[in-house]
Amino acid sequence: QKEVEQDPGPLSVPEGAIVSLNCTYSNSAFQYFMWYRQYSRKGPELLMYTYSSGNKEDGRFTAQVDKSSKYISLFIRDSQPSDSATYLCAMTESGTYKYIFGTGTRLKVLA
Amino acid sequence: DVKVTQSSRYLVKRTGEKVFLECVQDMDHENMFWYRQDPGLGLRLIYFSYDVKMKEKGDIPEGYSVSREKKERFSLILESASTNQTSMYLCAEQGPGGYTFGSGTRLTVV
């Protein structure tokens, strides 16, 4: 079993839809949780960075962490064609450099 | 904003060639990383450096080496390129807000 599981998609939604992207993990020591967006042929860019449990909102994006269920989510409201990309979750323990990445979910937002 | 620059976007090399991939960061951060990214396998850590001349092996170091002579520059070396090293190579540096990645180098070994 992988430490971090992420559905590869592709996930296709119409413009304006609410998108939910998810990751599950097995290591209860993970404390920091990140979401990266990666456009085709580009490097990943950091979208959201959260510590421990709870929600964090930034514009149309909301990151949610449920440590009791070992489950994290990224919600995108009013999705746009420009949101079409691969979304990677990442997580790490406190005091370590190493991030564990999910394999990414490919999202397509249809105009 | 932090900037991480990878010297080449696309490279085509022949089997057996020695290949150098260069990465430069514009902040004074200690930690730098080399990953490769393959479909279905995600990001896999090749090597990590936590200071000048300091390095640690990641999960898949075989066939690779690294060099960090200056804090801002971290190089990945393929000693003798093979076709199974065809991949997307990503350099990253770690700041207070997490990793910043470069744009990647798509390497094809023929």
Side-chain angles (χ1 to χ4, degrees):
Chain A
Q1 185 191 2
K2 290 181 181 176
E3 263 189 297
V4 177
E5 300 274 3
Q6 187 175 8
D7 189 321
L11 178 63
S12 293
V13 300
E15 184 175 355
I18 296 174
V19 175
S20 172
L21 304 167
N22 310 294
C23 287
T24 59
Y25 62 94
S26 57
N27 185 349
S28 57
F30 287 146
Q31 294 274 17
Y32 297 89
F33 303 90
M34 284 69 64
W35 285 96
Y36 284 82
R37 177 176 62 196
Q38 186 175 21
Y39 291 115
S40 183
R41 299 187 181 86
K42 296 283 181 71
E45 56 177 328
L46 183 66
L47 267 181
M48 302 287 281
Y49 182 101
T50 55
Y51 170 71
S52 196
S53 282
N55 290 1
K56 184 175 181 180
E57 192 172 318
D58 185 0
R60 296 184 296 110
F61 299 90
T62 299
Q64 195 172 77
V65 176
D66 181 349
K67 290 190 73 180
S68 62
S69 302
K70 299 191 183 72
Y71 189 88
I72 68 170
S73 300
L74 178 71
F75 298 97
I76 307 173
R77 289 184 299 281
D78 187 25
S79 56
Q80 302 295 309
S82 58
D83 295 326
S84 298
T86 296
Y87 290 80
L88 301 158
C89 64
M91 43 201 83
T92 187
E93 301 178 34
S94 183
T96 180
Y97 64 87
K98 189 175 178 181
Y99 286 18
I100 307 299
F101 287 87
T103 51
T105 299
R106 196 151 55 98
L107 171 67
K108 293 182 182 179
V109 181
L110 306 170
Chain B
D1 281 355
V2 179
K3 191 169 181 184
V4 177
T5 303
Q6 292 185 233
S7 54
S8 304
R9 291 296 307 278
Y10 300 94
L11 275 180
V12 180
K13 296 291 181 181
R14 295 195 181 279
T15 302
E17 275 192 79
K18 190 168 187 176
V19 181
F20 294 85
L21 303 182
E22 305 287 341
C23 174
V24 177
Q25 55 144 328
D26 65 354
M27 300 293 281
D28 200 34
H29 293 152
E30 275 108 14
N31 295 350
M32 295 187 75
F33 307 82
W34 275 105
Y35 283 87
R36 65 178 281 177
Q37 186 177 32
D38 301 287
L41 297 176
L43 285 157
R44 293 181 290 168
L45 180 64
I46 305 171
Y47 264 99
F48 155 62
S49 170
Y50 51 94
D51 207 341
V52 174
K53 297 190 189 296
M54 307 305 286
K55 62 186 180 186
E56 278 189 22
K57 292 180 180 178
D59 299 317
I60 51 162
E62 298 78 19
Y64 303 95
S65 62
V66 289
S67 171
R68 192 155 179 211
E69 298 297 319
K70 293 184 178 181
K71 201 169 190 179
E72 68 271 18
R73 188 178 296 270
F74 190 34
S75 302
L76 179 70
I77 303 154
L78 285 66
E79 298 291 344
S80 177
S82 64
T83 54
N84 63 12
Q85 292 179 308
T86 292
S87 186
M88 172 74 142
Y89 289 88
L90 290 161
C91 175
E93 64 88 52
Q94 185 176 25
Y99 286 12
T100 299
F101 285 90
S103 294
T105 296
R106 186 164 293 278
L107 173 68
T108 302
V109 182
V110 296

